[in-house]
Amino acid sequence: MTATTATSNRTTASTGGTPALVVVAHGSRDPRALSTVRALLDRVRALRPALPVHLGHIELNEPLLPDTLTALGDGEAVLVPLLLTRGHHVRRDIPDLAAAPARTRVAAPLGPHPLLVDALHARLTEAGWPAHPGPDHAVVLASAGSRAPASRTDTSRTAALLAARLGVPVVPAYASAATPTVPEAVRALTARGHRRVAVASCFTAPGRFATQSAAAAPWIASAPLGTHPSMAHLLLHRYDRALGADGEENAPKGARGESTCGSAAWARPATTEPALAR
Protein backbone atom coordinates (compact mmCIF):
# COMPACT_ATOMS: atom_id res chain seq x y z
CA MET A 1 0.00 0.00 0.00
CA THR A 2 1.40 3.40 -0.96
CA ALA A 3 1.80 6.35 1.40
CA THR A 4 -0.69 8.30 -0.72
CA THR A 5 -3.32 5.57 -0.33
CA ALA A 6 -2.75 5.35 3.40
CA THR A 7 -3.11 9.12 3.83
CA SER A 8 -6.28 9.12 1.75
CA ASN A 9 -7.77 6.31 3.83
CA ARG A 10 -7.00 8.13 7.08
CA THR A 11 -8.73 11.23 5.79
CA THR A 12 -11.79 9.30 4.63
CA ALA A 13 -12.08 7.32 7.85
CA SER A 14 -12.13 10.43 9.99
CA THR A 15 -14.65 12.37 7.88
CA GLY A 16 -17.57 13.38 10.04
CA GLY A 17 -16.50 11.01 12.81
CA THR A 18 -18.37 8.11 11.20
CA PRO A 19 -16.79 4.73 12.01
CA ALA A 20 -15.47 3.13 8.84
CA LEU A 21 -16.93 -0.11 7.56
CA VAL A 22 -14.14 -2.60 6.89
CA VAL A 23 -15.37 -5.62 4.96
CA VAL A 24 -13.16 -8.58 5.83
CA ALA A 25 -12.89 -11.11 3.00
CA HIS A 26 -11.08 -14.42 3.17
CA GLY A 27 -9.02 -14.01 0.02
CA SER A 28 -8.75 -16.38 -2.92
CA ARG A 29 -6.35 -17.51 -5.62
CA ASP A 30 -9.22 -17.19 -8.09
CA PRO A 31 -8.99 -13.68 -9.62
CA ARG A 32 -12.77 -13.59 -10.03
CA ALA A 33 -13.16 -13.50 -6.26
CA LEU A 34 -11.34 -10.20 -5.78
CA SER A 35 -13.23 -8.49 -8.60
CA THR A 36 -16.52 -9.78 -7.18
CA VAL A 37 -15.76 -8.50 -3.69
CA ARG A 38 -14.75 -5.09 -5.02
CA ALA A 39 -17.99 -4.87 -6.99
CA LEU A 40 -19.96 -5.78 -3.86
CA LEU A 41 -18.26 -2.97 -1.94
CA ASP A 42 -19.25 -0.57 -4.71
CA ARG A 43 -22.87 -1.60 -4.11
CA VAL A 44 -22.46 -0.87 -0.40
CA ARG A 45 -21.01 2.57 -1.16
CA ALA A 46 -23.91 3.32 -3.49
CA LEU A 47 -26.40 2.47 -0.74
CA ARG A 48 -24.67 4.71 1.82
CA PRO A 49 -22.43 7.25 0.07
CA ALA A 50 -21.35 9.05 3.25
CA LEU A 51 -19.98 5.89 4.86
CA PRO A 52 -16.24 5.16 4.48
CA VAL A 53 -16.02 1.58 3.15
CA HIS A 54 -12.74 -0.34 3.03
CA LEU A 55 -11.58 -3.87 2.23
CA GLY A 56 -9.19 -6.11 4.15
CA HIS A 57 -8.28 -9.75 3.50
CA ILE A 58 -7.37 -12.49 5.94
CA GLU A 59 -4.91 -13.98 3.44
CA LEU A 60 -4.04 -14.49 -0.24
CA ASN A 61 -5.09 -11.05 -1.54
CA GLU A 62 -4.19 -7.44 -0.89
CA PRO A 63 -4.94 -5.34 0.97
CA LEU A 64 -4.45 -7.57 3.99
CA LEU A 65 -6.53 -6.64 7.01
CA PRO A 66 -3.59 -5.39 9.16
CA ASP A 67 -2.55 -3.05 6.32
CA THR A 68 -6.07 -1.67 6.02
CA LEU A 69 -6.27 -1.05 9.77
CA THR A 70 -2.85 0.60 9.80
CA ALA A 71 -3.96 2.93 7.02
CA LEU A 72 -7.02 3.93 9.06
CA GLY A 73 -4.74 5.19 11.82
CA ASP A 74 -6.71 6.28 14.88
CA GLY A 75 -10.04 6.17 13.09
CA GLU A 76 -12.83 4.04 14.53
CA ALA A 77 -13.81 1.03 12.43
CA VAL A 78 -16.33 -1.80 12.40
CA LEU A 79 -15.07 -5.04 10.87
CA VAL A 80 -17.83 -6.97 9.10
CA PRO A 81 -16.78 -10.48 8.03
CA LEU A 82 -17.70 -11.37 4.47
CA LEU A 83 -18.14 -14.86 5.88
CA LEU A 84 -21.31 -16.83 6.43
CA THR A 85 -20.82 -18.70 9.71
CA ARG A 86 -19.03 -18.58 13.06
CA GLY A 87 -16.01 -20.53 11.88
CA HIS A 88 -12.37 -20.27 12.88
CA HIS A 89 -11.73 -17.12 10.86
CA VAL A 90 -14.59 -15.25 12.53
CA ARG A 91 -13.95 -16.50 16.05
CA ARG A 92 -10.16 -16.28 16.16
CA ASP A 93 -8.35 -14.93 13.09
CA ILE A 94 -10.23 -11.66 12.67
CA PRO A 95 -10.20 -10.73 16.39
CA ASP A 96 -6.48 -11.57 16.53
CA LEU A 97 -5.74 -9.38 13.52
CA ALA A 98 -7.84 -6.56 14.98
CA ALA A 99 -6.53 -6.84 18.54
CA ALA A 100 -4.04 -3.96 18.37
CA PRO A 101 -6.30 -1.05 17.31
CA ALA A 102 -8.25 0.18 20.35
CA ARG A 103 -11.07 1.69 18.28
CA THR A 104 -12.07 -1.44 16.37
CA ARG A 105 -15.01 -3.79 16.87
CA VAL A 106 -15.99 -6.98 15.05
CA ALA A 107 -19.52 -7.61 13.79
CA ALA A 108 -21.28 -10.95 13.46
CA PRO A 109 -20.88 -13.01 10.27
CA LEU A 110 -23.53 -12.72 7.58
CA GLY A 111 -25.40 -15.92 8.36
CA PRO A 112 -27.85 -17.12 9.31
CA HIS A 113 -30.15 -14.31 8.20
CA PRO A 114 -33.27 -13.84 6.05
CA LEU A 115 -31.37 -11.52 3.71
CA LEU A 116 -28.87 -14.31 3.06
CA VAL A 117 -31.79 -16.57 2.19
CA ASP A 118 -33.11 -13.88 -0.17
CA ALA A 119 -29.83 -14.01 -2.08
CA LEU A 120 -29.71 -17.83 -2.10
CA HIS A 121 -33.28 -18.02 -3.40
CA ALA A 122 -32.60 -15.44 -6.11
CA ARG A 123 -29.49 -17.26 -7.33
CA LEU A 124 -31.41 -20.54 -7.48
CA THR A 125 -34.18 -18.86 -9.47
CA GLU A 126 -31.61 -17.49 -11.91
CA ALA A 127 -30.29 -21.04 -12.37
CA GLY A 128 -33.74 -22.39 -13.26
CA TRP A 129 -35.45 -23.18 -9.96
CA PRO A 130 -39.23 -23.27 -10.57
CA ALA A 131 -41.75 -21.00 -8.92
CA HIS A 132 -43.77 -24.04 -7.83
CA PRO A 133 -41.45 -26.97 -7.05
CA GLY A 134 -42.89 -30.45 -6.75
CA PRO A 135 -42.30 -33.32 -4.32
CA ASP A 136 -39.38 -34.57 -6.42
CA HIS A 137 -37.44 -31.32 -5.88
CA ALA A 138 -34.78 -30.84 -3.20
CA VAL A 139 -31.72 -28.69 -2.54
CA VAL A 140 -28.21 -29.28 -1.27
CA LEU A 141 -26.88 -26.16 0.47
CA ALA A 142 -23.17 -26.24 -0.37
CA SER A 143 -20.93 -24.46 2.15
CA ALA A 144 -17.18 -24.27 2.72
CA GLY A 145 -17.22 -26.33 5.90
CA SER A 146 -15.52 -25.99 9.27
CA ARG A 147 -14.57 -28.10 12.27
CA ALA A 148 -16.20 -25.52 14.54
CA PRO A 149 -19.58 -26.81 15.79
CA ALA A 150 -21.00 -23.27 15.77
CA SER A 151 -20.25 -22.99 12.06
CA ARG A 152 -22.17 -26.18 11.26
CA THR A 153 -25.04 -24.95 13.44
CA ASP A 154 -25.19 -21.72 11.45
CA THR A 155 -25.20 -23.58 8.13
CA SER A 156 -27.98 -25.86 9.37
CA ARG A 157 -30.03 -22.82 10.40
CA THR A 158 -29.55 -21.26 6.98
CA ALA A 159 -30.65 -24.54 5.38
CA ALA A 160 -33.78 -24.55 7.56
CA LEU A 161 -34.60 -20.97 6.57
CA LEU A 162 -34.14 -21.80 2.90
CA ALA A 163 -36.29 -24.93 3.23
CA ALA A 164 -39.08 -22.85 4.75
CA ARG A 165 -38.79 -20.39 1.88
CA LEU A 166 -38.78 -23.02 -0.89
CA GLY A 167 -41.10 -25.60 0.64
CA VAL A 168 -38.73 -28.48 -0.17
CA PRO A 169 -36.05 -30.40 1.75
CA VAL A 170 -32.72 -28.57 2.01
CA VAL A 171 -29.70 -30.54 3.22
CA PRO A 172 -26.53 -28.72 4.34
CA ALA A 173 -23.31 -30.13 2.87
CA TYR A 174 -19.68 -29.13 2.86
CA ALA A 175 -16.75 -28.75 0.51
CA SER A 176 -14.19 -29.42 3.25
CA ALA A 177 -13.66 -30.21 6.95
CA ALA A 178 -17.18 -31.53 7.65
CA THR A 179 -19.73 -34.06 6.45
CA PRO A 180 -21.79 -34.79 4.51
CA THR A 181 -19.93 -33.75 1.39
CA VAL A 182 -21.93 -32.29 -1.47
CA PRO A 183 -21.85 -35.55 -3.52
CA GLU A 184 -22.92 -37.52 -0.44
CA ALA A 185 -25.87 -35.21 0.17
CA VAL A 186 -26.89 -35.42 -3.49
CA ARG A 187 -26.83 -39.23 -3.36
CA ALA A 188 -28.86 -39.29 -0.14
CA LEU A 189 -31.59 -37.08 -1.59
CA THR A 190 -31.65 -39.07 -4.82
CA ALA A 191 -32.06 -42.29 -2.83
CA ARG A 192 -35.09 -40.73 -1.13
CA GLY A 193 -36.76 -40.26 -4.52
CA HIS A 194 -35.85 -36.66 -5.33
CA ARG A 195 -35.14 -36.54 -9.06
CA ARG A 196 -34.59 -32.77 -9.22
CA VAL A 197 -31.75 -31.99 -6.83
CA ALA A 198 -30.26 -28.51 -7.06
CA VAL A 199 -27.04 -27.30 -5.46
CA ALA A 200 -27.34 -23.87 -3.82
CA SER A 201 -23.93 -22.21 -3.71
CA CYS A 202 -23.51 -20.74 -0.22
CA PHE A 203 -20.25 -19.00 -1.12
CA THR A 204 -19.63 -15.28 -1.24
CA ALA A 205 -17.58 -15.35 -4.46
CA PRO A 206 -16.26 -17.70 -7.15
CA GLY A 207 -13.47 -20.04 -6.12
CA ARG A 208 -12.36 -23.65 -5.94
CA PHE A 209 -14.97 -24.77 -3.42
CA ALA A 210 -17.82 -23.17 -5.37
CA THR A 211 -16.64 -24.75 -8.61
CA GLN A 212 -16.26 -28.22 -7.08
CA SER A 213 -19.67 -28.03 -5.42
CA ALA A 214 -21.41 -26.95 -8.62
CA ALA A 215 -19.78 -29.82 -10.51
CA ALA A 216 -21.55 -32.28 -8.18
CA ALA A 217 -25.01 -31.01 -9.14
CA PRO A 218 -27.08 -33.60 -11.00
CA TRP A 219 -29.50 -30.92 -12.22
CA ILE A 220 -28.88 -27.18 -11.64
CA ALA A 221 -26.38 -25.28 -9.51
CA SER A 222 -26.70 -21.65 -8.52
CA ALA A 223 -23.96 -19.07 -8.83
CA PRO A 224 -22.15 -17.75 -5.74
CA LEU A 225 -23.92 -14.99 -3.83
CA GLY A 226 -21.56 -12.35 -5.18
CA THR A 227 -22.97 -8.87 -5.72
CA HIS A 228 -26.63 -9.67 -5.09
CA PRO A 229 -28.27 -6.55 -3.58
CA SER A 230 -29.28 -8.44 -0.43
CA MET A 231 -25.62 -9.06 0.33
CA ALA A 232 -24.90 -5.32 0.30
CA HIS A 233 -27.89 -4.66 2.56
CA LEU A 234 -26.76 -7.43 4.90
CA LEU A 235 -23.24 -5.99 5.24
CA LEU A 236 -24.75 -2.65 6.24
CA HIS A 237 -27.17 -4.33 8.63
CA ARG A 238 -24.32 -6.10 10.43
CA TYR A 239 -22.42 -2.80 10.60
CA ASP A 240 -25.42 -1.05 12.15
CA ARG A 241 -26.02 -3.83 14.66
CA ALA A 242 -22.38 -3.79 15.75
CA LEU A 243 -22.71 -0.08 16.47
CA GLY A 244 -25.89 -0.65 18.44
CA ALA A 245 -28.06 1.09 15.85
CA ASP A 246 -31.79 0.42 15.82
CA GLY A 247 -31.61 -2.53 13.45
CA GLU A 248 -35.31 -3.41 13.66
CA GLU A 249 -36.45 0.04 12.56
CA ASN A 250 -33.76 0.71 9.96
CA ALA A 251 -33.19 -2.77 8.55
CA PRO A 252 -34.12 -3.41 4.90
CA LYS A 253 -36.94 -5.78 4.03
CA GLY A 254 -36.03 -9.28 5.19
CA ALA A 255 -33.72 -8.18 7.99
CA ARG A 256 -36.32 -8.01 10.75
CA GLY A 257 -36.89 -10.92 13.07
CA GLU A 258 -33.49 -12.36 12.24
CA SER A 259 -31.89 -15.37 13.85
CA THR A 260 -28.38 -14.30 14.77
CA CYS A 261 -25.73 -14.83 17.34
CA GLY A 262 -25.03 -11.30 18.49
CA SER A 263 -23.57 -8.15 17.04
CA ALA A 264 -19.99 -7.34 17.97
CA ALA A 265 -18.05 -10.47 18.84
CA TRP A 266 -14.61 -11.33 20.24
CA ALA A 267 -15.39 -14.96 21.06
CA ARG A 268 -12.70 -17.63 20.97
CA PRO A 269 -13.31 -21.11 19.58
CA ALA A 270 -12.93 -24.23 21.68
CA THR A 271 -10.91 -25.89 18.92
CA THR A 272 -8.73 -24.76 16.07
CA GLU A 273 -8.74 -25.76 12.43
CA PRO A 274 -6.25 -25.42 9.59
CA ALA A 275 -6.66 -22.66 7.04
CA LEU A 276 -8.67 -23.81 4.04
CA ALA A 277 -7.22 -23.33 0.58
CA ARG A 278 -9.59 -21.30 -1.57
Side-chain angles (χ1 to χ4, degrees):
M1 179 178 293
T2 66
T4 301
T5 301
T7 301
S8 174
N9 283 348
R10 286 192 185 97
T11 301
T12 302
S14 61
T15 301
T18 301
L21 164 58
V22 178
V23 176
V24 184
H26 181 277
S28 174
R29 294 182 178 88
D30 190 320
R32 297 173 298 169
L34 181 56
S35 61
T36 298
V37 171
R38 285 174 171 164
L40 177 60
L41 265 63
D42 286 341
R43 278 194 179 272
V44 173
R45 294 183 182 106
L47 288 171
R48 199 172 295 184
L51 176 65
V53 178
H54 303 275
L55 174 62
H57 291 93
I58 297 171
E59 59 181 353
L60 299 176
N61 294 123
E62 294 182 346
L64 293 172
L65 179 57
D67 296 331
T68 298
L69 295 178
T70 298
L72 291 176
D74 295 330
E76 186 176 359
V78 176
L79 278 55
V80 180
L82 188 59
L83 300 166
L84 304 177
T85 68
R86 293 169 294 161
H88 179 73
H89 295 309
V90 168
R91 304 189 71 185
R92 181 173 293 274
D93 289 343
I94 295 175
D96 282 352
L97 292 170
R103 297 171 62 81
T104 301
R105 66 186 77 187
V106 182
L110 301 186
H113 196 280
L115 284 170
L116 178 59
V117 175
D118 286 348
L120 288 165
H121 188 189
R123 292 296 188 229
L124 278 170
T125 300
E126 292 166 0
W129 184 262
H132 303 288
D136 60 341
H137 288 75
V139 173
V140 172
L141 182 67
S143 182
S146 171
R147 294 192 181 99
S151 177
R152 295 193 294 275
T153 296
D154 290 345
T155 302
S156 294
R157 288 175 177 169
T158 297
L161 289 171
L162 184 59
R165 177 75 59 88
L166 300 177
V168 303
V170 177
V171 175
Y174 306 96
S176 178
T179 57
T181 66
V182 175
E184 287 170 346
V186 167
R187 288 194 294 270
L189 286 169
T190 301
R192 287 159 50 185
H194 297 286
R195 296 183 297 107
R196 296 284 190 177
V197 178
V199 172
S201 183
C202 197
F203 302 99
T204 57
R208 180 167 63 89
F209 286 168
T211 300
Q212 290 177 349
S213 297
W219 177 39
I220 60 172
S222 63
L225 300 164
T227 60
H228 189 274
S230 290
M231 296 295 287
H233 282 291
L234 184 48
L235 285 167
L236 287 170
H237 181 60
R238 290 302 194 213
Y239 169 88
D240 290 338
R241 290 293 295 269
L243 287 176
D246 190 347
E248 290 300 303
E249 291 298 324
N250 298 319
K253 181 181 179 181
R256 301 179 185 186
E258 66 176 291
S259 171
T260 186
C261 307
S263 51
W266 292 89
R268 302 292 184 178
T271 59
T272 59
E273 61 182 314
L276 300 177
R278 305 294 171 100

